[in-house]
Amino acid sequence: MNNRTILVTSALPYANGPIHIGHLVEYIQTDIWARFQKMCGHDCIYICADDAHGTPIMLRAQQEGITPEELISRVKLEHEKDFADFLIEFDNYHSTHSEENKKHATTIYQRLKDNGHITTKTVIDLFDPKENVFLPDRFVKGECPKCHAKDQYGDNCEVCGSTYTPADLINPYSSVSGATPIQKENLHYFFKLNDFKDVLEKWINQDNLQPEITNKLKEWFDSGLQDWDISRDAPYFGFEIPDAPGKYFYVWLDAPIGYMASLQQYIDSSTNTGGKDFNYYWNSDSIAEVYHFIGKDIAYFHMLFWPAMLHGADYRIPTAVYCHGFLTVDGKKMSKSRGTFIKARTYLEHLHPEYLRYYFAAKLGPGVSDIDLNLEDFQQRVNSDVVGKLVNIASRCAGFITKKFDAKLTASFNDECTHAFDLAVEKNNQIKMYYESRKYSEAMRVIMSVADIANQIIDAHKPWEKIKEDSNRTEVHQVCSFGLNMFRLLIGYLKPVLPELAAKSEVFLNTEFTWEKLYNGNPLPEGHEINKFKPLITRIEKESIDKMIEDSKQDAAPVASDPISDEITFDDFAKLDFRVAKIIKAEHVEGADKLLQLTLDLGESTGGVQKNVFAGIKSAYAPEDIEGRLTVVVANLAPRKMRFGMSEGMVLAAGPGDKDIFLLQPDSGAKPGMRVK
C-alpha cells in the first residue's frame, strides 16, 4: 500500500461537562485507527476540538457565576488532560470559539449565500416582553405537555424524555425575567438542504459507508429533506451571522467547521506539514483522505448537513463517516446512582487506562451496535489476555536471557519455533486488514491466538527446568529467544491499542516497533542485546473496580422522610383490581380543605358501574379542570364511610403532592374499564 495522506477526526466533546467512559468509546476507537495508520508510515493527522457554543454553555456559566469564555477555557484544559491520560494522541486540539473557526464559518456561510443556498423565513417564536428579546429554547421553561413535570426546558423534558417546541409548554415563562412569553413573528435564516439531494444520494450509496447508517439516511430522504434553521437570536453564545445583527449561527453549523479550524491551527503552528497547506486537505479536488468518527446519534448532522454545506461552499466531501454505538455497563444504561456513570478522571484514579483501551478494542467492530462494559468480564479478560497470555511471555523468558546468556538473543530457532514465528509474521496482513476496517475485536482474537501458540511452546520446553542442566543451554537459549521475538511481534501488533505498554517494551527489547521493521520476516539479529526486564503492567484487582464504582455513585438515597410501608405478599397485591375510570363529575366538598367528590364511570366492560369517590387532589385541580379526565381507581376497595359520605374506591395519582399531583390525560390511549397491570 502506498503512503497515504489522512485527516482523522473525532466528534467534538461539548464544553459544559466532563469526559466519561461512554465518550471514550469513540476517542479510543479513533486513536487506535490513527495510531495504526502512523505505524504503517502514512501521513496521518488526528485532530479534535471542544464544541464551545450554544445556550447550555451560557446557562452553565450563569449557574457558576462566570463568563462563558472562562467556563470553556477551564473545561478545555480538563478535557485535554483526561484525553492525554487515556493516551489519546491528538496532533491538535482546539476550540470552536476561536478566530480560525469564525473565519471558516463566515467563509462557508458567505459562499452558501452567494451560491443561492441560504433563504429567510418568518416564523413564530416566543418573545420576552419584559426583556424585549426572543427566547432560545432553553431560556423558556414551563410544564411538560406530556408528563406535566414542572420547570422543564423548552426543547425537552428531563423527567419523561419527551421532545417538543417551547410553544408546546404549559404555563411557559422566561428564565431570563420570569415573564410570560408572547408569540411574535421572527426572521430566521435557513440552509436549503434539498438543493443537494442528488449529491447526497450519490455520496451515501458509496461502498465505504456503513449499511446500517445508509439505510437510515435513505429513510430521511424518503420523508423529504427540509430546509435547516441555522440561526438563533440573542442571547446566544456563538458567532454573529454577517450582516444580520442579533442573529447567531446555530451551534450545529459551526461545530463541524471546528474540524477545519483545528486543522488550520495545526497547519499555522506546525513546522512539519510536508508542504501541505489547508487547501491540500479541503479543496474540492483534494486527493487527501478525510475520515470522521462519530456516535450514531449525530449521523444526521454529519452525513446530510455537513457534506451538503461543504459541497455548497466548494469544499470537498469527507471520504467516509464512521459511526459507533453507545456504551452500557453490566448490560444497563450508565447510572449515577449505581455508580456506573463513570467519569474519565474517576476511572484514572483507580485503574490503568490501557485496561479500558484493550477491553474496548476486544469489543469493537465496524458496525453501530452498542457495546457493553461487563465489569466482571473486563477484569477477567484483561488479566487473562494482557497479563496472563502476553506479558507473561516476556516475564518467563527475560530472566534466563539476562542471567544465563549475557542479555543476548539468538536468531537460531528449532523447526517448531521457526514455524510458529513465521506463522505470527504471516498474520500481519490479516491484522492490518482488521485494523483498517475497524474490526478491532477480530484483530485482538487473532493476536491472542498467536500468543496461545507461543505460550504452548514455552510450556512444552519448560526452560525453568531445563536450565538446570548445562546440556540444555542451547535449547533454553533458543526457546527463550523465540519467546521474546514472539512477544515483540505481538506487542507490535498491539501498539495502536497499548501504546504505553509498547513503549516500555521497546525500551526493554532495545528496538523500535514499526510495521515495516516488525513484519519483514526476520527475528531480531544474532547477539541482539536486551535490557533488564521490569514489570510492564499488573493485574486488575476487584477492589480497584469496587472503589471506582463507589466513588462514582451520586444522588445516593437520603434518609427516608416517608418510609415505605410494611411489606405485603404477592397474594395480597393480586387481590387489587386497578381500573381506568373517567371522571364524569367533580365537586367541591363543603368543609374539606383537600377533598374533591368524584363520580367515576368504569365503562361498558364493567356493566356501566359508577362509583362515588372522595379524593385528596384539591390542591392540584379545580373541579372544572378534571371533568372528562381519566384516572386509575382501586375498583374493588370496600366502601368506607367518611364524614362527608360514602367513598366507594380509591383514586391513584402520581407526584410529590401539593400542586404536583398528576392524573391520566384523556388522550393517553387508556379507556374506561381497562385493567391496569
Side-chain angles (χ1 to χ4, degrees), residues 400 404-405 461-477:
F400 298 119
K404 301 296 182 179
F405 303 101
H461 285 272
K462 294 181 173 55
W464 50 89
E465 291 184 3
K466 293 192 175 181
I467 195 64
K468 299 173 184 177
E469 301 290 337
D470 287 342
S471 59
N472 295 326
R473 282 180 57 84
T474 299
E475 181 183 350
V476 171
H477 196 196

Side-chain angles (χ1 to χ4, degrees), residues 377-564:
D377 180 56
F378 167 63
Q379 179 187 2
Q380 291 176 351
R381 184 174 297 203
V382 171
N383 288 347
S384 172
D385 288 1
V386 179
V387 182
K389 292 183 181 180
L390 196 63
V391 174
N392 191 44
I393 296 173
S395 64
R396 291 204 292 177
C397 297
F400 298 119
I401 296 295
T402 303
K403 296 174 183 177
K404 301 296 182 179
F405 303 101
D406 299 324
K408 293 178 181 179
L409 303 176
T410 179
S412 175
F413 303 157
N414 62 32
D415 290 344
E416 181 186 26
C417 293
T418 299
H419 176 73
F421 180 83
D422 291 344
L423 177 66
V425 172
E426 288 171 7
K427 294 292 184 183
N428 101 85
N429 286 328
Q430 183 183 25
I431 292 170
K432 284 179 74 171
M433 179 192 70
Y434 284 148
Y435 273 128
E436 180 67 40
S437 57
R438 307 174 320 287
K439 296 178 180 178
Y440 301 162
S441 61
E442 292 295 311
M444 300 305 104
R445 179 184 58 79
V446 173
I447 292 166
M448 289 304 155
S449 70
V450 175
D452 284 336
I453 294 172
N455 278 299
Q456 288 165 9
I457 291 174
I458 295 168
D459 286 341
H461 285 272
K462 294 181 173 55
W464 50 89
E465 291 184 3
K466 293 192 175 181
I467 195 64
K468 299 173 184 177
E469 301 290 337
D470 287 342
S471 59
N472 295 326
R473 282 180 57 84
T474 299
E475 181 183 350
V476 171
H477 196 196
Q478 286 182 345
V479 75
C480 289
S481 295
F482 157 78
L484 293 182
N485 271 281
M486 289 291 279
F487 174 73
R488 168 177 170 257
L489 294 181
L490 294 165
I491 290 291
Y493 284 138
L494 284 167
K495 186 176 181 180
V497 179
L498 306 173
E500 186 174 287
L501 182 58
K504 292 179 180 178
S505 300
E506 286 176 321
V507 173
F508 157 54
L509 292 175
N510 195 23
T511 187
E512 181 187 6
F513 298 165
T514 66
W515 215 276
E516 183 179 5
K517 286 184 178 180
L518 279 170
Y519 308 112
N520 58 11
N522 299 316
L524 290 167
E526 186 71 30
H528 179 86
E529 188 171 350
I530 65 170
N531 293 310
K532 185 177 180 180
F533 177 81
K534 297 178 182 178
L536 298 172
I537 197 166
T538 57
R539 295 170 56 85
I540 300 177
E541 300 298 336
K542 188 174 185 301
E543 290 78 7
S544 298
I545 295 177
D546 292 342
K547 288 178 182 177
M548 175 184 70
I549 296 299
E550 191 61 34
D551 287 355
S552 297
K553 287 182 179 177
Q554 298 178 30
D555 304 322
V559 176
S561 59
D562 184 16
I564 295 173

Side-chain angles (χ1 to χ4, degrees), residues 141-155:
K141 286 187 146 184
E143 182 180 327
C144 171
K146 303 294 174 62
C147 75
H148 299 281
K150 308 291 187 182
D151 296 322
Q152 297 305 305
Y153 289 114
D155 53 357

Side-chain angles (χ1 to χ4, degrees), residues 1 37 111 193 232 243 251 295 313 316 341 347 515 616 631 638:
M1 187 181 294
Q37 301 296 348
R111 289 185 183 181
L193 183 62
R232 295 294 185 269
D243 302 321
V251 61
R316 57 89 48 79
F341 189 94
Y347 174 99
W515 215 276
T631 186

Side-chain angles (χ1 to χ4, degrees), residues 353-373:
E354 289 185 305
Y355 297 153
L356 193 66
R357 289 179 65 99
Y358 178 78
Y359 191 76
F360 281 172
K363 304 280 278 190
L364 279 165
V368 298
S369 299
D370 297 346
I371 68 171
D372 184 54
L373 170 59

